[in-house]
Amino acid sequence: MTGAKPLGFDPVDEARRHWAEHGWADAASGMAAVTSVFRAQQIYLGRIDRVLRPLGLTFARYEVLMLLSFSRTGSLPLNKVGARLQVHPTSVTNAVDRLEAEGLIERRPHPTDRRTTLAEIQPSGRELAKRATEAVNEAVFADPLLDPERTDALVELLTGLRRANGDFQ
C-alpha cells in the first residue's frame, strides 16, 4: 500500500490466528501462505505498473511484446502467445488489440495455415520493449526486495508449486 501508513501488526499473521481460533487450525497455515502470495503479487505488480504506466504499457502488454521480441521470427500464432503466457485467449486478444492499435505489433495471416493469425512485433514495439525492460530491470527486477539467496529460494519454491499444478513437466 504505497503512501499508506504501515500497520503495527502483520494482518496475515492476525488472520492466521483468527483462523485457528475459529476451528480452522488445519487450514490456517495454507490460508496464510496463499494470502501472502497474493499480497506479494500485488506489491510486485504495483511496482511494475508504476514503471510501465508512463510508457503506456500494462504488464500484460509488456509480456506480449517481450515474448514476441524473444521469438525467433518476431511473430507467433495468437494461440501460442496465450499458451506461453498462460493466459486466457480473451486476455491475449485484448492485449494484442491494444498493441496493434498503437502500431507496436501487427496481425498477419499465417503463411501456411489460413486458420491461424500471427502477432508480429514491429520496430516501434521492439524499441518500446527494450526501453521498458531497461526501466523494469532497474526499478524492480534488480531489487526484488529480497536478498539473492532468498530470491533464489523463493523461485525454487514457487517452481515446485507451478510444476505440481501442471504448468510444465
Side-chain angles (χ1 to χ4, degrees), residues 47 75 78 117 157 160:
R47 290 179 72 202
S75 67
L78 295 180
T117 299
L157 181 69

Side-chain angles (χ1 to χ4, degrees), residues 58-79:
T58 63
F59 190 60
R61 288 183 289 221
Y62 170 70
E63 285 185 303
V64 171
L65 286 177
M66 292 308 297
L67 179 63
L68 294 175
S69 71
F70 288 150
S71 71
R72 186 173 34 82
T73 62
S75 67
L76 286 170
L78 295 180
N79 62 345

Side-chain angles (χ1 to χ4, degrees), residues 2-13:
T2 305
K5 183 179 176 187
L7 297 174
F9 63 94
D10 181 348
V12 174
D13 193 46

Side-chain angles (χ1 to χ4, degrees), residues 25-165:
D26 58 335
S29 290
M31 178 281 303
V34 171
T35 303
S36 293
V37 168
F38 284 166
R39 180 61 186 130
Q41 189 263 355
Q42 291 172 335
I43 291 166
Y44 285 132
L45 191 55
R47 290 179 72 202
I48 289 169
D49 281 347
R50 283 189 290 280
V51 174
L52 294 178
R53 189 175 300 118
L55 299 172
L57 289 174
T58 63
F59 190 60
R61 288 183 289 221
Y62 170 70
E63 285 185 303
V64 171
L65 286 177
M66 292 308 297
L67 179 63
L68 294 175
S69 71
F70 288 150
S71 71
R72 186 173 34 82
T73 62
S75 67
L76 286 170
L78 295 180
N79 62 345
K80 280 194 179 181
V81 172
R84 292 188 184 169
L85 295 179
Q86 298 174 308
V87 297
H88 191 275
T90 303
S91 298
V92 173
T93 299
N94 183 28
V96 168
D97 285 348
R98 296 291 299 269
L99 292 167
E100 187 175 36
E102 295 169 16
L104 301 170
I105 67 171
E106 278 188 18
R107 281 184 172 90
R108 298 214 185 266
H110 192 283
T112 61
D113 183 352
R114 293 184 320 183
R115 299 166 297 165
T116 301
T117 299
L118 301 174
E120 182 177 278
I121 194 164
Q122 298 301 296
S124 58
R126 284 190 189 279
E127 175 55 35
L128 182 58
K130 182 177 186 275
R131 283 187 323 170
T133 299
E134 290 168 356
V136 171
N137 281 344
E138 181 180 331
V140 182
F141 296 156
D143 182 13
L145 305 177
L146 297 168
D147 62 56
E149 295 80 25
R150 286 188 172 186
T151 300
D152 291 342
L154 177 63
V155 170
E156 184 178 335
L157 181 69
L158 294 175
T159 297
L161 182 142
R162 293 173 36 244
R163 181 181 287 117
N165 190 57

